[in-house]
Amino acid sequence: MPTRSRPSPTAGERIDLDLAEAALVERYARLVRLTYLVLPTSLTRHRRVLTAHGIVQRALPGTGTRLLRPAPRRVPAPRGARERPGYAWVREQVLREALRHERRPSWWPHRLPPPRALRPGLPTVIGLRLFPRAGGTEEVALDQALGQADGATRAAFVLATLDELPSEGVDDVLVRLGVPDPARARERAARLADAARGAAETLVRSDEFDPSSVRTRPTDLLRRRHRVRLGLLAGTAAVVTGTVLGLVGSGATPLTGPAPVPHGSGALDPERVVARTRTAWDDTSRVDFTAWPTRGARAKDTELLAKALNAWARAGGALGEDGRTGRAAGIAFARTPGTPAGAPTGSPKLLFAGDVEGDAVVLFHDGDRVARYTEPATGKGAGDRAGNGTAFEVARVDDADVTTAAALVLHRSKAGARWLTAPWIDESATRDLLRPDTPARALGVSKDGITSPLPEPPAGGGCGSWPVVQFRSSARIVEKHSFLLTDLGALSPVHLTYTPPPGAGAPARQPREATGSEALVTWARLGCRLAGLRGQGVRAVNTWDFAAQRLPEGGGEAVWACTRADTWAGRGEVFLSLRTPAARPAAPVDVVARAADTAACSRFGQHVVAGARWKSPRGHWYALGAGSRRVSALTTSGAVSGTHAGTTFAVRAPEDGAVRVRARLENGESLEEVGR
């Protein structure tokens, strides 16, 4: 066999294929991670994992090629390292292909992945879903911010943070890739990195962005099994039609759903569920659902546990790929958005099993999700929601913390909702969010951590009150830590926080607990707006007062706020509001803008601008506008034109006619209104 030549990459005109092959093998994991980060987030995580591996595996040319055109030698090496030419060449190929996946024809439906992502290719996985391990809130926020950026910005970001190339090196690679404005892409990437406050290089190396270390879930075991059965039955019917007709005529029962899972079937064996002692949370560094003890008088009732596990086994078939609710075998199934419904791959942990208000209730946790099974225990129970009987619900809770793992909704009835509290909760109280001056009232909690019935917030229509729960955690967790949770109809209550307005010359404020007087007064005006977030799988809601201005003609002081709801699935939506002086503490605010699937008002979207119409006490109409602390000027166009220095403006305007507001930041960049 002839030996392949090895010309020097620093002196020759070509790079030997051997160098590229060696780089591919030695740096495979890094190349796949880099590709995964650059691919558009419109792809599912499963598809991004497979596409990233496929792009890297196809990076080398076909057989018969010996020498490759090198990447330009002027690309500086990473800080403190010598960049190998073979790696630089392979990196260029995978980046180019990853950027191609973002291109789509103008007529292509936006809800579909780009055409290139739909091409079949290896590797292919059948029957399983792959996804990297769940990261923390910072990783989720970064992934969402990358999804809002264009492909060139994502490429610049990973070159600077993962490969640690200097600025000129990033620009040179982007030029090679055909990016029209490399400097602009690099600057945007730098702002993403700055938003991570020095942690960007650590975040991109986290498990959240490692497609080489993945978790797996079955697509839908029971649905596939059911389809195979139906196929076999159809084939049998075609061959022995007479026999089948005879069976039907004699009263045979048709197949209505997947058979129950028998005892002893691995992860769904009730004898194998994980139980934890009541004191285990004291000896762990993780304060989340993994530290919860097993509670309830029926924790050893294997018959009840088997029924709950069987319901989980049926959930995937009943809900399908995208269904939020479904019904099968007499069980009402539900899940929060973005939650896989399939059965756990390992034995789940038992959080609770017992009788509550005439219903048998079981709570499981499998590491990423919590599941609740409810059935009438006496024939007179309320079921999950009054009158529904047997029910099963599953919800994501990955990366929960001391606040978001502080409670679960254990049971709902006409009397209200009972919560199961975490073992680190020392004090529980309830208050009305719409009455900030009314003190909190003590909430009864049983020795098993079950609260007294709590009134549920209004789902729509009138909004005369909004109940919230105020918890205080044990001093063994953090001293005097109180926080608010509210019920938005899901298994896990929602954490409410508040970010005060920026101080003069002070650094940006961070979200804080919404238990102080300023936070409670703010939330009193916003509480009823939470009804629009019901059923969305919301994890936490933060209200950020980003600007204040004095209104003309004696209108008093107005406050501009951005309220952001983050979901367990990683998506975020915002609404911007204008709080003008009001006669009642709970007077509703005016919502001036909305946006979904956005990084706005998060640590990766710290700049915001909005506009509104306002009528003065004297009856005159004004165009108002406001921007966050880094805004240097605001420009209006449409019915009112002009440029206004500072972060706010108020100008006379006609009652009708659109007014568009744009902001100029201190760094010279322009910013559009939220929602445009």
Side-chain angles (χ1 to χ4, degrees), residues 80 88 107 119 135 189 237 242 333 355 362 381 473 489 514 547 551 614 637 663:
W107 50 267
R119 293 182 355 191
F333 291 91
D355 293 337
V362 180
S473 58
L551 297 174
W614 173 76
S637 59

Side-chain angles (χ1 to χ4, degrees), residues 272-364:
R272 298 187 184 183
V273 296
V274 180
R276 196 177 182 97
T277 63
R278 290 180 178 270
T279 58
W281 75 273
D282 288 323
D283 301 318
T284 178
S285 59
R286 292 183 59 179
V287 186
D288 55 19
F289 289 110
T290 62
W292 276 41
T294 299
R295 289 172 281 186
R298 301 181 67 176
K300 296 183 179 180
D301 187 340
T302 55
E303 204 61 40
L304 173 62
L305 300 184
K307 286 193 277 187
L309 292 169
N310 278 321
W312 202 341
R314 297 179 189 270
L319 294 170
E321 289 291 329
D322 303 311
R324 295 271 299 277
T325 60
R327 194 168 188 89
I331 303 173
F333 291 91
R335 64 172 162 195
T336 56
T339 302
T345 55
S347 297
K349 176 185 171 183
L350 179 63
L351 301 181
F352 180 88
D355 293 337
V356 183
E357 295 186 27
D359 286 336
V361 182
V362 180
L363 278 177
F364 288 122

